[in-house]
Amino acid sequence: MPTDEKTTVDEAFIRRALDEADLNALRMALYQATGDESLLALKLQQTPAFGGSSTLTTVAAEGQDELKAKALAFLLANPAGFGEVKPSDAELRRLFEAFRNEALTDKDWRYRRDLAAFDEHPRLARWTDGKPQVPDGYQVAIIGAGFGGIAMGVQLEKLGIPYTIYERRAELGGTWSRNIYPDARVDTTNFMYQFFFEKNYPWREYFARAPEVRDYLEHIAGKYGVKQHMQFNTDVRQAEFDEGSGTWTLTLAADGAEQVVTANAVVAASGLFANPKRFDVPGAEDFRGQLIHTAECTGQEDLDGKYVAIIGNGSTGVQMMSAVARRARSVGVFQRTPQWISPRERYGELLRPETRWLLDTMPYYWNWYSYSISTMRLGMQKTQEFDPAWQAAGGLVSKANDELRDLLTNYIKAKVGARPDLVEKLTPQHAPMARRMIVDNNWYASLLEDHVELVTDKIERLTTGGVLTADGRERHYDVIFTATGFDVEKYLWPTDFRGLGGQRIEDLWTDPAGLGPRAYLSLTVPDFPSLFIMYGPNSQNRAGSLIVWMEVWARYIAQALIATIEGGHRYAVVKPEVFEDYNQRHDAAMRELIWYDKASMGRNYYVNHWGRQQVNTAWRLEDQYESLEQFNPGDYTFG
Ligand SMILES: Cc1cc2nc3c(=O)[nH]c(=O)nc-3n(C[C@H](O)[C@H](O)[C@H](O)COP(=O)(O)OP(=O)(O)OC[C@H]3O[C@@H](n4cnc5c(N)ncnc54)[C@H](O)[C@@H]3O)c2cc1C
C-alpha cells in the first residue's frame, strides 16, 4: 500500500518505523541488503510473547541502537533502487539458523523453508515433465469456497486441471463470511494467517476482523483466477462413487433445483465449523426475545440499551463480550467452565503508517517478519507434551506447561485481583493448552464493569423472559447469544458420501463400535477413491498458521491427482493397511499429549465421545510436514 500523499517520510518518520519494527526480522533483511556480517553477530534474546505461550527472538538491548542506526542509514539512502536477490537454499538455511541462533535438522529446515516465502509461489505442485494431456471431460469438484477451497483452486488453476467449486452460500469466504458476530476477528495474526504466495497484503489490522479476511479471500480468488470457477447457492447433497466409470456422481441443490454432475475427484473443503452446536437446554422454544447462535448473527442485531446474555466463554463468547458490553444496558455472561485466556500483543491494533511503510519499503522485511511470527509459535508445542519425569517430581504437566499456568494465573490476578470472587471463578483447573487458548479481547476488564455480571450457576432452563439458573433465580434478557460453538464431530455432514460398495462415510464415522472420524494423513479414507478432505480428522496443526497447512494439503492433493493422471489411472484409493498403521502410530503419539489431560476430559471439544482426540494432529510440525511434503504412490491403489 503506498504511503498516502499527506504522509511525509522524513528521518523522524523512519525512526518511528524502526522503533516499532521486529528487530530480528529487520536485522536479517538488512543483512541481506548490505552483507554486513556484524549484523549476524548481534546478541539475541528470547522474550515471552502472547502471555507466555510463545517466545519471540529479538535483538538484545545492547545491539538495538547499532542495528537501528544502520537501518536508518540504509533507508535514508533510498532503497527503492535496491534489487532484491532471492537467497539460495544453502544461504537461506544459514540465515534461518542465524535468526534464532539454532541448529536446524534437515527436517526442521524443510518445514521452515517456505515460512519466509522467498519463492514466488511456495508449496506448488508440479507436473513431472510438463503438462500432459488431461483426459477429456476431466473435472475436480471442490466443495466449499473458504480458505481450503480457494487454496485447492489456486493449485488446480496453476496446473491447468479443470475444476468447479460448489458453495452453498451466496458468497465466498466460508467462516469469514458466516461469522459476523460483534468483533469477530482472527486470533492468529494475519502475518501468519495468510497465503504465502500472496506477498505483503496490506492488512489494516494485525488481527483482521471478519470482513477484512473475507475481502482478502475475495482478492485472492479474483487475482488467481479461482472465482470464475465458483458456483454459489449450490449445496452438495450427495456424492456417490461409481465403480464402473471410476467417477463420482454429485447431486446438487443449485438455487433450489436438483442438478447432477460427475467428477473424477472430489475435494471436500467444507470446513470443520460448518454445523453450529445448538444450546441444549429446556425452554428454548419458550423464550420470547431473540435467541441467536453466534454463527447466525446477521450484523443487524439491535443491542443498544438492551439486556443481553452471552452463553458460553469459548473463543467466540470471549471475543464478542466487550463489544456487546459497549452497547448493551446490561450483560449476563454465563460460564460453565473457566478457560485460560491470554493477552496477545497488537490484538485490536491498526497497523501504523510507519509500519506499513517499512513493510513496503525495506527489502524482504515482510518475509522475515512473517517468518518471525510463524516461528515464534513453535515453542507452544512443548507446552502440549507431558513430561513424566517432571510429573514424578510433583509437577503437573511439564516445566513449560506449569510455567505457562503460573503466567496466566498471574495475568488473571493482575486483571481482576481487586475482585477475589472473580479470581476464583475465572481460574481453570485444567492445564493450559488442553483446550483452545483464548485471547483476551478486553474480557477481564469488561467483567469489572458495573453492568456486566459473570454467572456461574448452572442454567436450568430458558423461560419466556430469560434464563433460570439452578439457584432458582431468573434473569431477564431481550437477546440471548448462544456462543456454544460447533459440532465438530460432524465432519462433512450432512453431505452423504458413498464410496466403494455403497458404503456411507457417515455410517463409518458414527459406528458405535468404531472410533469416530479418522483418515490417512487427515486427508483420505479407504474405500473412498479420490476423495480428499481438507481440514479433516486430526488435521489441525499444533502451532503456527492453519493456512500454511491449507497450502500443504492442497499441494498433496494436487500431487495425488498428478500421479493419477500421469499414470493413466482413473482414481487413487489409500490402502487399508496404510491407513490403519498410520492411525495406530498417530493415536499412540497422541496419548502423550495434553488433550488427554484428565482435568479437561468431557469438556474438551477436541476429544469426541469415543474418547478419541479427533481435531488436532499428534505430530510436531516438522513431522506433519514431512509426511505431507510428497505424495507417496506406494500408499495407494490405483484403479
Ligand atoms: C469464529 C471463528 C474464528 C476462527 N478464528 C480462527 C483463527 O483465528 N485462526 C485459525 O487458524 N482458525 C480460525 N478459525 C478456524 C477457521 O474455520 C479456519 O481458519 C478456516 O477459515 C477454515 O477454512 P475452510 O475453508 O476449511 O472452512 P470454511 O471457512 O468453514 O469454509 C467451508 C465452506 O464450505 C461450504 N460448504 C460446506 N458444506 C457444503 C456443501 N455440502 N455444499 C456446498 N458448500 C458447502 C460452507 O458453506 C463454507 O463456505 C476460526 C473459526 C471460527 C468459526
Side-chain angles (χ1 to χ4, degrees), residues 211-230:
E212 192 179 0
V213 184
R214 207 213 72 89
D215 288 352
Y216 172 76
L217 288 173
E218 184 80 46
H219 164 79
I220 298 285
K223 178 170 169 181
Y224 294 89
V226 174
K227 182 145 186 212
Q228 61 199 350
H229 297 263
M230 291 180 179

Side-chain angles (χ1 to χ4, degrees), residues 226-304:
V226 174
K227 182 145 186 212
Q228 61 199 350
H229 297 263
M230 291 180 179
Q231 188 176 317
F232 295 108
N233 299 311
T234 303
D235 193 3
V236 180
R237 295 274 166 88
Q238 195 191 57
E240 185 165 16
F241 187 72
D242 174 37
E243 266 181 273
S245 62
T247 59
W248 286 88
T249 303
L250 278 70
T251 308
L252 317 173
D255 285 315
E258 187 173 296
Q259 197 187 329
V260 176
V261 295
T262 56
N264 301 72
V266 178
V267 179
S270 36
L272 176 58
F273 302 105
N275 298 296
K277 192 168 186 170
R278 300 294 159 193
F279 181 51
D280 188 16
V281 71
E285 61 294 346
D286 298 336
F287 179 60
R288 297 234 182 89
Q290 281 185 282
L291 181 66
I292 310 165
H293 189 285
T294 51
E296 284 155 3
C297 284
T298 60
Q300 305 302 313
E301 288 76 22
D302 178 15
L303 303 177
D304 296 326

Side-chain angles (χ1 to χ4, degrees), residues 249-391:
T249 303
L250 278 70
T251 308
L252 317 173
D255 285 315
E258 187 173 296
Q259 197 187 329
V260 176
V261 295
T262 56
N264 301 72
V266 178
V267 179
S270 36
L272 176 58
F273 302 105
N275 298 296
K277 192 168 186 170
R278 300 294 159 193
F279 181 51
D280 188 16
V281 71
E285 61 294 346
D286 298 336
F287 179 60
R288 297 234 182 89
Q290 281 185 282
L291 181 66
I292 310 165
H293 189 285
T294 51
E296 284 155 3
C297 284
T298 60
Q300 305 302 313
E301 288 76 22
D302 178 15
L303 303 177
D304 296 326
K306 295 279 170 27
Y307 290 81
V308 181
I310 301 174
I311 295 177
N313 61 328
S315 297
T316 296
V318 169
Q319 189 170 58
M320 73 193 295
M321 197 271 269
S322 177
V324 171
R326 280 198 294 277
R327 294 175 57 190
R329 174 152 182 192
S330 134
V331 184
V333 176
F334 288 81
Q335 169 186 288
R336 193 174 63 166
T337 312
Q339 303 270 13
W340 291 110
I341 299 175
S342 130
R344 204 144 285 195
E345 293 84 1
R346 298 196 150 148
Y347 193 76
E349 260 183 50
L350 293 169
L351 264 92
R352 299 219 180 103
E354 288 88 341
T355 299
R356 173 46 55 207
W357 177 84
L358 193 66
L359 284 160
D360 294 344
T361 309
M362 180 75 208
Y364 289 147
Y365 177 64
W366 172 82
N367 301 75
W368 287 107
Y369 185 49
S370 300
Y371 182 78
S372 177
I373 294 285
S374 297
T375 52
M376 171 176 108
R377 305 290 282 156
L378 298 177
M380 258 173 76
Q381 299 179 98
K382 244 189 348 197
T383 65
Q384 299 156 347
E385 293 161 1
F386 292 119
D387 177 350
W390 178 263
Q391 291 175 309

